[in-house]
Amino acid sequence: MSNSGRIFGPDSQVMLSQIKDPEKIVDFTLSHLSLNVEEAQKLLEKKSLNELLDEIYLELSKKIEINKVQEKIQLNARESINKSQREYYLREQLKAIQKELGDDVDSDMDLVRIKIDKSLMPEEAKSEALKQFKRLEKIPPDSMEHTVLRNYLDWILALPWGKFTTDKLDILNAKKILDKDHFGLDDIKERVLDFLSVKSLKTDCNTPILCFVGPPGVGKTSLGQSIARSIGRNFCRLSVGGIHDESEIRGHRRTYVGSMPGRFIQSIRKAGSCNPLIMIDEIDKVGNDHRGDPASALLEVLDPEQNNTFYDNYLGINFDLSKVLFITTANDLSTIPGPLRDRMEVIEISGYTQNEKIEIAKRHLIPKSIKNYGLETYKINLSDKALEVIVKKYTREAGVRQLERLIQKLCAKFVRGLLEQKKELLFEPENISKYLGTPPPPQHASLHKHRIGVSNGLAWTPYGGEVLQVEAILVPEGKGKLILTGQLGSVMKESAQAALTYARAHANKFKIPKKIFSTYDLHIHVPAGAVPKDGPSAGITLLSAILSALTLRPVNSDYAMTGELTLQGEILAIGGLKEKILAAKQEGLKNIIIPKPNAADLTNLGEIKKGVNIILVEDVNEILDVVLMAKETQT
Ligand SMILES: Nc1ncnc2c1ncn2[C@@H]1O[C@H](COP(=O)(O)OP(=O)(O)OP(=O)(O)O)[C@@H](O)[C@H]1O
Ligand SMILES: [Mg+2]
């Protein structure tokens, strides 16, 4: 009965084995057999008990057979399902293996082929791409070379061949956009608009490349962005600062895995059109060493005569860069290699005055930070007075970067105030230090004291102008030696020598006892000692300090000065005038002595010269009369 488990469960089997009475057995079994009407009728018609039992036996045997068959079918079915699952799994694995082996590359290769055919690349590029494609077909897909070639084709196909944006040549609109993005910079905008006008009239003319030069944070990079926006070109920034390797510009040769095109081709891909505006940042900081000379590679890129056939080593074909509009930026013009500088039209962007900084903050930096911090619905209470305190006491920079950071800091404090104290903070001059910390101490605390042997000079650095104090002191028991410290460059050392010679030569006139030069040493020091300094423009500052030390007449500290000195006592022109005047203003020095030959530079100073007294001098005596005070007037 084991096979009839479906009809008779184990319980009924036990019960049945205990029933001895045949009639009860009949009843029990019949009640468990599920019979249809016909079968039941047949059984009912049996006359004797034996006949009935025979019939039931038959019926049961039938059921057993049926069950056996059913079980077999089920077993088969299960087996077949297991088998097909296994097969499916194996097939999947096989597919993965085939993919690894590159067996399915065919369709992929077809796609590449179609792309090459459809691409708008010039004939030369297309034939090179097809040549490489044919090689690729012959190389086994698992080889290294296959990957290299495949990457190459991906690169060449990813370039925006034949894609050009149309320039918006509406100069008035361009002006509007430039004005909207940047405050001030009027001359610079003018020159940019002149440049754009020429460009728009004759697209294929060889206009020089613009180069914005100025201290950090004055808006060189962002001006470039805004120019791109104003004429509707795609923009891409490419920093060449610190590049030593020529192949960064020209691309690596395609011989090893991981080689890449140069930065310019990469930029074209990033920009997505063949005529973007590419801003070459930090062009004054390209390196130059044994790995090649990136600056001369740049020469080729920036030369309108050559750059229509710029050869990238990786691409192995010429690419036309002549439709690209290049703008470069630099902090220091003097470190740009001559031939490179020659190709560029230099536009100097000087630092900002305090008033300009306040305006820039109000119109641009504050709204920008408010937007960044999601504070549009609040009113940030930063009064003009508070802004003035921030500009005057917390920032010492030519540009506005630090100012922008401080404004962002205040916005962060504002958000925190909203969350922690559930109130909108008010920023006033009195409480600024609570949020920004105590302001840094003034650079030269002693700047405004009239002292013997200390004069205020003005220096230019790539980061902006600076007030530079020169100290001279007599050292007793000496032999007339000149000691120079403070990391002075050779030009500055020679200026000191010349100034001392001038003083000795005119000792009588300044009532300097002759024997001072044989009994004392003269030590000249220019703080801060760790910062390298050079250049001839400290000539008159050095002379003032030296004469003051020799005559014991204090130097009037209301004056700041700059000018190169000749042995004849003439004063020669200097550079970086704007930055120097700004630095003097920043430190509160109102009288500024500059060489007369620099008078022409004063005409386009605009706002910068407001509030200061500029004194033009051509002979050293004019200075000494005002700068050297009477004895005993030291403060
Ligand atoms: N005249 C201005 N009007 C509005 N925003 C300005 C102005 N000048 C500078 N900025 C802002 O100051 C920030 C710094 O400017 P940017 O990054 O262009 O400086 P940079 O001159 O390129 O400096 P670096 O030499 O360090 O690269 C930017 O957020 C810029 O928008
Ligand atoms: Mg920049």
Side-chain angles (χ1 to χ4, degrees):
M1 296 275 266
S2 68
N3 283 336
S4 57
R6 277 170 192 284
I7 309 167
F8 297 97
D11 293 352
S12 34
Q13 282 178 37
V14 174
M15 280 164 76
L16 192 62
S17 65
Q18 281 168 1
I19 305 172
K20 297 287 182 287
D21 187 349
E23 283 206 36
K24 285 200 175 136
I25 291 179
V26 170
D27 287 347
F28 185 81
T29 349
L30 279 178
S31 69
H32 278 78
L33 276 175
S34 46
L35 299 171
N36 57 30
V37 182
E38 271 171 45
E39 288 165 334
Q41 181 64 32
K42 236 163 91 188
L43 286 177
L44 268 180
E45 283 167 11
K46 298 298 162 200
K47 307 258 167 27
S48 69
L49 188 64
N50 270 356
E51 264 179 12
L52 193 58
L53 280 171
D54 278 348
E55 199 58 35
I56 288 175
Y57 180 73
L58 259 175
E59 225 22 79
L60 281 173
S61 317
K62 253 201 278 182
K63 293 272 179 220
I64 288 169
E65 280 312 308
I66 291 170
N67 273 348
K68 269 187 188 165
V69 173
Q70 267 181 353
E71 205 139 309
K72 201 173 163 199
I73 291 171
Q74 265 178 4
L75 201 74
N76 282 350
R78 197 176 307 141
E79 261 176 16
S80 81
I81 288 171
N82 281 349
K83 208 171 141 199
S84 69
Q85 267 181 343
R86 209 170 131 249
E87 248 180 41
Y88 171 77
Y89 179 68
L90 285 175
R91 269 187 211 293
E92 282 304 314
Q93 265 193 336
L94 192 65
K95 265 192 216 161
I97 290 169
Q98 276 176 336
K99 199 169 167 195
E100 283 298 305
L101 289 174
D103 283 0
D104 73 334
V105 135
D106 275 339
S107 59
D108 200 22
M109 290 286 277
D110 290 343
L111 213 68
V112 174
R113 171 94 210 204
I114 294 171
K115 275 193 194 162
I116 296 177
D117 283 341
K118 277 196 182 161
S119 164
L120 294 175
M121 56 180 103
E123 274 317 305
E124 186 207 0
K126 196 167 268 188
S127 73
E128 173 72 12
L130 281 175
K131 196 171 112 197
Q132 299 305 335
F133 179 77
K134 289 207 180 97
R135 269 183 67 203
L136 183 68
E137 281 182 317
K138 290 192 205 106
I139 297 171
D142 52 352
S143 75
M144 201 72 120
E145 213 183 336
H146 193 277
T147 325
V148 172
L149 271 180
R150 196 52 229 271
N151 274 346
Y152 170 75
L153 286 174
D154 283 347
W155 256 107
I156 207 165
L157 286 173
L159 292 176
W161 299 105
K163 262 195 208 155
F164 291 90
T165 53
T166 15
D167 286 352
K168 288 188 232 151
L169 301 176
D170 183 352
I171 294 296
L172 283 181
N173 187 47
K175 182 170 164 35
K176 231 183 259 166
I177 293 182
L178 292 184
D179 281 340
K180 191 167 159 255
D181 289 355
H182 291 89
F183 171 80
L185 302 174
D186 294 337
D187 320 342
I188 290 122
K189 286 181 198 159
E190 278 300 302
R191 288 181 67 181
V192 167
L193 288 172
D194 290 350
F195 173 82
L196 291 180
S197 311
V198 175
K199 261 267 181 261
S200 65
L201 197 65
K202 198 159 183 302
T203 39
D204 56 347
C205 71
N206 294 339
T207 40
I209 284 134
L210 289 186
C211 176
F212 294 144
V213 182
V218 292
K220 298 183 293 297
T221 308
S222 71
L223 195 59
Q225 240 159 338
S226 154
I227 293 174
R229 210 160 69 83
S230 72
I231 53 170
R233 289 214 184 190
N234 294 350
F235 177 82
C236 192
R237 201 179 72 90
L238 190 166
S239 181
V240 290
I243 285 189
H244 284 274
D245 198 341
E246 195 181 329
S247 38
E248 293 265 2
I249 309 268
R250 287 194 203 279
H252 296 277
R253 274 174 219 294
R254 218 184 310 146
T255 40
Y256 61 91
V257 182
S259 56
M260 287 248 266
R263 299 271 191 109
F264 284 92
I265 295 298
Q266 289 181 34
S267 298
I268 292 281
R269 179 180 174 172
K270 238 190 278 167
S273 65
C274 286
N275 64 339
L277 188 157
I278 295 184
M279 180 128 221
I280 309 175
D281 246 343
E282 328 276 354
I283 200 162
D284 53 335
K285 297 182 191 70
V286 260
N288 183 358
D289 61 14
H290 61 278
R291 275 170 290 184
D293 182 3
S296 40
L298 272 179
L299 272 185
E300 188 192 328
V301 174
L302 297 182
D303 188 344
E305 304 282 334
Q306 294 180 47
N307 66 8
N308 56 347
T309 53
F310 172 70
Y311 185 85
D312 185 280
N313 291 330
Y314 182 84
L315 289 188
I317 45 173
N318 290 329
F319 192 92
D320 183 2
L321 286 177
S322 65
K323 303 287 179 292
V324 178
L325 185 59
F326 292 106
I327 294 186
T328 61
T329 80
N331 291 128
D332 184 359
L333 203 56
S334 68
T335 55
I336 305 179
L340 207 52
R341 197 171 44 199
D342 202 44
R343 280 174 176 60
M344 303 188 290
E345 179 179 342
V346 174
I347 296 186
E348 281 183 40
I349 306 187
S350 58
Y352 295 112
T353 61
Q354 289 177 343
N355 289 341
E356 282 172 331
K357 287 184 192 172
I358 292 173
E359 281 305 313
I360 293 175
K362 279 205 284 196
R363 292 173 197 219
H364 297 276
L365 307 180
I366 297 179
K368 201 157 89 183
S369 300
I370 287 180
K371 202 163 153 226
N372 278 351
Y373 283 75
L375 294 170
E376 287 99 330
T377 49
Y378 298 92
K379 188 175 173 336
I380 305 252
N381 296 295
L382 185 59
S383 64
D384 283 9
K385 283 258 173 332
L387 206 51
E388 198 179 318
V389 171
I390 298 175
V391 168
K392 282 197 175 147
K393 294 207 176 142
Y394 286 84
T395 66
R396 192 175 296 129
E397 57 174 355
V400 292
R401 244 206 215 108
Q402 170 73 359
L403 182 60
E404 188 171 16
R405 265 197 294 273
L406 291 173
I407 288 170
Q408 284 171 355
K409 198 167 166 185
L410 286 182
C411 283
K413 296 278 180 205
F414 187 88
V415 177
R416 200 161 148 207
L418 281 181
L419 295 179
E420 265 182 15
Q421 305 164 27
K422 310 267 179 282
K423 68 168 189 188
E424 297 187 12
L425 297 181
L426 271 171
F427 301 116
E428 292 297 340
E430 300 75 41
N431 67 8
I432 281 292
S433 62
K434 195 170 133 199
Y435 302 111
L436 296 182
T438 41
Q443 197 181 11
H444 300 289
S446 59
L447 215 58
H448 300 282
K449 281 189 194 153
H450 309 315
R451 291 187 297 173
I452 293 172
V454 182
S455 58
N456 295 331
L458 294 172
W460 177 91
T461 75
Y463 312 102
E466 231 178 279
V467 173
L468 201 70
Q469 280 196 316
V470 171
E471 300 178 327
I473 195 166
L474 287 174
V475 192
E477 291 167 36
K479 292 195 183 72
K481 232 176 34 183
L482 177 64
I483 307 164
L484 296 167
T485 54
Q487 287 223 46
L488 310 186
S490 55
V491 179
M492 199 159 169
K493 279 183 183 161
E494 283 170 13
S495 306
Q497 191 73 58
L500 179 60
T501 306
Y502 183 89
R504 281 181 76 168
H506 298 84
N508 279 344
K509 188 179 146 206
F510 294 105
K511 303 195 181 68
I512 303 168
K514 283 267 168 48
K515 68 172 194 313
I516 239 180
F517 297 109
S518 52
T519 48
Y520 286 88
D521 285 340
L522 183 71
H523 187 155
I524 294 178
H525 178 67
V526 187
V531 185
K533 307 159 197 86
D534 205 0
S537 72
I540 59 174
T541 324
L542 286 159
L543 180 65
S544 305
I546 292 171
L547 279 177
S548 163
L550 294 174
T551 58
L552 301 178
R553 287 168 64 183
V555 181
N556 189 335
S557 65
D558 297 336
Y559 290 82
M561 57 197 110
T562 176
E564 184 177 350
L565 181 73
T566 68
L567 282 182
Q568 309 303 317
E570 267 176 278
I571 298 169
L572 306 183
I574 46 90
L577 187 68
K578 281 185 190 175
E579 303 301 333
K580 287 177 175 176
I581 296 178
L582 280 172
K585 271 179 95 168
Q586 170 93 19
E587 298 293 342
L589 295 167
K590 295 257 159 32
N591 299 301
I592 304 169
I593 299 174
I594 65 164
K596 201 163 205 168
N598 279 101
D601 301 346
L602 287 176
T603 49
N604 53 7
L605 283 187
E607 163 102 8
I608 294 177
K609 58 182 180 190
K610 274 189 204 148
V612 284
N613 173 28
I614 294 176
I615 305 153
L616 291 165
V617 289
E618 54 186 341
D619 187 276
V620 72
N621 288 314
E622 298 166 48
I623 308 172
L624 298 175
D625 291 343
V626 284
V627 162
L628 290 181
M629 306 168 84
K631 279 186 194 175
E632 319 297 336
T633 43
Q634 199 166 351
T635 50

